[in-house]
Amino acid sequence: MLRSPIFLFILFLFLFSCQEKETVNLNEVPVRKEALALRNKAIENLKKQNYNTAFYQFNKSKKLYEVLKDSANIGYILIQTACIQQVNGDYYGSKETLTEALPLFKKRNGYTADIYNIMGIADKELGLYDDAIFYYKESIKDYTDPIGKSAPMSNIGTVYIFQKKYDKTIAILESILKNKLFYSKSISFDKSRDLDNLGYAYFKKGVEEKGFRLMSEALLKRKENKDIYGSIESYLHLADYYSKKDPQKSDEHAMEAYKIATRLNSVDERLEALQILISNDNTTKTPAYTQRYFTLNDSIIKVRNNFKNKSAKIKYDAKKEKDENEKLRLEKAENLLSLQKAKYQRIVFAIIFVFLVILITILIRYFRNKNKAIKVKTSYETETRIAKKIHDELANDVYNVIAFTESQPLAAENTKENLLQKLDDIYSRVRGISKENNSIETGADFTNNIKEMLSAYSTNEQNVLISNIESIEWETIDDIKKITISRILQELMVNMKKHSKASLAAIKFENTPNAVLINYTDNGKGCETTNLAKSGLKNMESRVQAVNGHISFETEINKGFKAKIVLPK
């Protein structure tokens, strides 16, 4: 349960033993050589406990490895930096550094196990015991060998002592001590530590005799193994054991721990020893111990704060230099990019201009051809309609008249009158067809001609109402659109007379700034909407589309017929 630079120094040695071997290429770029040299110097200074120098050199090396995008070396350096921060009491800073290092190792391995273990140590020192246990368990998952797993397992047992969960500590440490795979000559110090902590847990649980025996055995082994630093923990535990049984012996063990900690410069352990001496209050030196405690505590706080400030400045300077270099690189890249962009823009603009010219030419030709096709189609449909009308309405009647003249005596008065009546009827129909398709007056008399044409369809059985026709500014509308309006109205009248069988039809004209609106309504028999395309009304659509207009129909059986026509001015 020691909190000292020496404890973390042992962890450093373990990390050095598993660091990646760097293959030096004789032709390697200068940046990589400099980064490697700085990293190796930092490692040497770390071994000599020159923590500030090592911290500075690790950061310089890290910055160069970032240029090379060497994530493995960056991650390794961050782990070392985090350990230095913990030596100097900067546990929050250490966790930030480890959090930065963790994503650099894509696969969970020995390095990620080290990271989680060191995170657990930081949280333990901060009193975040549940978090510490979580990270120790994560570390256990990533270690592949039993020896590696023993360290975080032992650390979990130590945290349970702080939480006063002594049974859990005993269960973990006894399982470790029984497993021979967990120990070898190279890590015999760990076995002594686990024995001591196990004995301390038994003592705290109330099994004092067994606890004292295990703690004494651990101290003896540490002396045999010359584990001087580990003996500090044993002396502190025994001092705690004797504090109520024999204050004199407690003071002796605490003072022994204090002397060794002073010789090894283990400040936290010196403070813990002084706490026991002050708590025992067994000699006249208690005030002196108290004064020494506060002086030492103030000193270590000052030293650690100075380190935090220096490390923050080192990181800030490194980040500032990196940002400035990145800014220069970006400015250079932006200048080059802007030159290339200007060149490409000129090329793109030229391509777009040529493309637009070609596109506009194609569109003009397309719409011209489309309008021409519509006009040709309209003309063809008109001719077809006239031919059909002549065939349907006149051909049979003419044939009947020929047959009549061949079979009847023309000298007879009644026969002559009958023939003349038939010929007059044919003549009337020819005039009607001619009138429907002859030239249309588009001048000043256009309005009157429209009225006359519509009125011609008004009979005793069928009434046609016209409204608002004078509101239209006909002089602003071109002749083609006037002809189109006239033909459409004729089509509507024919449809009303032949198909709708309406008794009343209303035609309303409306004038807007951009278009002429014509609304037609009758009370005829109507039809299914699906049959509209098959009727003669399709001819109206062709006419309207030829002048970029729009026509819509609304009808249902026995509910009349409506048409809305929109023609742009």
Side-chain angles (χ1 to χ4, degrees), residues 387-455:
K388 186 175 184 298
K389 197 164 189 178
I390 291 172
H391 178 273
D392 292 345
E393 296 186 15
L394 297 177
N396 291 335
D397 289 344
V398 171
Y399 178 79
N400 288 333
V401 169
I402 293 170
F404 179 79
T405 57
E406 289 177 347
S407 62
Q408 299 295 325
L410 296 179
E413 188 63 29
N414 61 339
T415 302
K416 186 188 294 185
E417 287 180 6
N418 198 355
L419 175 62
L420 290 173
Q421 181 64 39
K422 289 180 181 291
L423 290 173
D424 186 62
D425 185 52
I426 291 171
Y427 173 72
S428 296
R429 293 189 186 185
V430 170
R431 282 195 63 189
I433 295 171
S434 175
K435 193 172 182 180
E436 286 179 13
N437 298 280
N438 64 359
S439 61
I440 295 172
E441 171 62 44
T442 59
D445 292 332
F446 177 75
T447 303
N448 292 329
N449 290 339
I450 291 291
K451 287 181 178 179
E452 288 178 7
M453 184 270 292
L454 294 175
S455 297

Side-chain angles (χ1 to χ4, degrees), residues 250-365:
S250 176
D251 282 357
E252 290 174 2
H253 284 84
M255 183 54 67
E256 189 64 31
Y258 180 80
K259 289 177 182 178
I260 297 171
T262 302
R263 189 165 72 249
L264 297 178
N265 196 28
S266 299
V267 180
D268 289 318
E269 284 70 37
R270 287 171 68 187
L271 290 172
E272 193 171 343
L274 287 171
Q275 281 181 321
I276 294 174
L277 290 168
I278 295 166
S279 178
N280 287 340
D281 194 16
N282 194 43
T283 67
T284 56
K285 294 182 179 181
T286 299
Y289 292 149
T290 304
Q291 183 60 42
R292 197 180 303 176
Y293 176 88
F294 285 115
T295 302
L296 185 61
N297 190 53
D298 291 343
S299 175
I300 190 62
I301 290 172
K302 184 177 180 181
V303 169
R304 287 177 175 176
N305 285 338
N306 285 339
F307 170 79
K308 290 177 184 178
N309 292 334
K310 284 181 181 179
S311 64
K313 188 175 185 305
I314 289 169
K315 285 188 173 184
Y316 172 77
D317 291 342
K319 185 179 184 302
K320 185 178 178 181
E321 185 178 349
K322 179 184 176 184
D323 290 344
E324 287 175 353
N325 291 335
E326 184 67 15
K327 185 179 178 181
L328 290 173
R329 186 185 68 79
L330 288 173
E331 286 176 355
K332 185 177 180 182
E334 284 175 359
N335 290 335
L336 180 62
L337 185 62
S338 62
L339 292 173
Q340 292 177 340
K341 186 178 178 181
K343 179 181 177 182
Y344 290 140
Q345 279 179 342
R346 289 194 294 270
I347 295 172
V348 170
F349 286 151
I351 293 171
I352 291 173
F353 177 76
V354 173
F355 173 77
L356 286 175
V357 169
I358 295 171
L359 180 62
I360 291 169
T361 304
I362 292 171
L363 288 174
I364 290 172
R365 293 190 65 181

Side-chain angles (χ1 to χ4, degrees), residues 389-560:
K389 197 164 189 178
I390 291 172
H391 178 273
D392 292 345
E393 296 186 15
L394 297 177
N396 291 335
D397 289 344
V398 171
Y399 178 79
N400 288 333
V401 169
I402 293 170
F404 179 79
T405 57
E406 289 177 347
S407 62
Q408 299 295 325
L410 296 179
E413 188 63 29
N414 61 339
T415 302
K416 186 188 294 185
E417 287 180 6
N418 198 355
L419 175 62
L420 290 173
Q421 181 64 39
K422 289 180 181 291
L423 290 173
D424 186 62
D425 185 52
I426 291 171
Y427 173 72
S428 296
R429 293 189 186 185
V430 170
R431 282 195 63 189
I433 295 171
S434 175
K435 193 172 182 180
E436 286 179 13
N437 298 280
N438 64 359
S439 61
I440 295 172
E441 171 62 44
T442 59
D445 292 332
F446 177 75
T447 303
N448 292 329
N449 290 339
I450 291 291
K451 287 181 178 179
E452 288 178 7
M453 184 270 292
L454 294 175
S455 297
Y457 289 92
S458 206
T459 64
N460 292 330
E461 292 80 19
Q462 293 176 315
N463 191 17
V464 179
L465 302 177
I466 308 165
S467 64
N468 219 25
I469 190 170
E470 288 83 4
S471 68
I472 308 299
E473 298 173 353
W474 294 108
E475 65 275 6
T476 64
I477 300 170
D478 63 58
D479 292 347
I480 294 175
K481 290 178 182 174
K482 288 180 182 178
I483 293 169
T484 300
I485 290 171
S486 180
R487 296 299 186 199
I488 290 171
L489 291 173
Q490 281 182 342
E491 293 280 358
L492 287 169
M493 290 296 99
V494 171
N495 180 71
M496 181 265 296
K497 203 159 189 74
K498 290 181 63 177
H499 303 295
S500 292
K501 305 297 182 185
S503 61
L504 179 64
I507 302 170
K508 183 179 180 182
F509 293 84
E510 291 184 36
N511 187 41
T512 69
N514 301 316
V516 175
L517 307 181
I518 302 172
N519 291 295
Y520 170 87
T521 306
D522 69 33
N523 62 352
K525 62 181 182 180
C527 67
E528 292 284 354
T529 306
T530 53
N531 294 331
L532 286 176
K534 299 177 183 179
S535 69
L537 299 177
K538 191 174 181 183
N539 190 46
M540 296 185 210
E541 290 182 326
S542 298
R543 290 184 186 278
V544 173
Q545 288 173 5
V547 291
N548 299 319
H550 174 73
I551 186 167
S552 60
F553 304 108
E554 183 180 338
T555 181
E556 287 185 38
I557 295 175
N558 298 323
K559 290 189 178 181

Side-chain angles (χ1 to χ4, degrees), residues 2 17 26 61 98 106 147 198 206 249 277 374 378 380 385 405 520 549 565:
L2 301 183
S17 68
L26 294 175
S61 177
L98 293 168
K106 294 180 180 179
I147 295 175
L198 179 61
K249 281 190 176 182
L277 290 168
I374 291 172
T378 303
Y380 171 77
R385 182 176 55 80
T405 57
Y520 170 87
I565 303 154

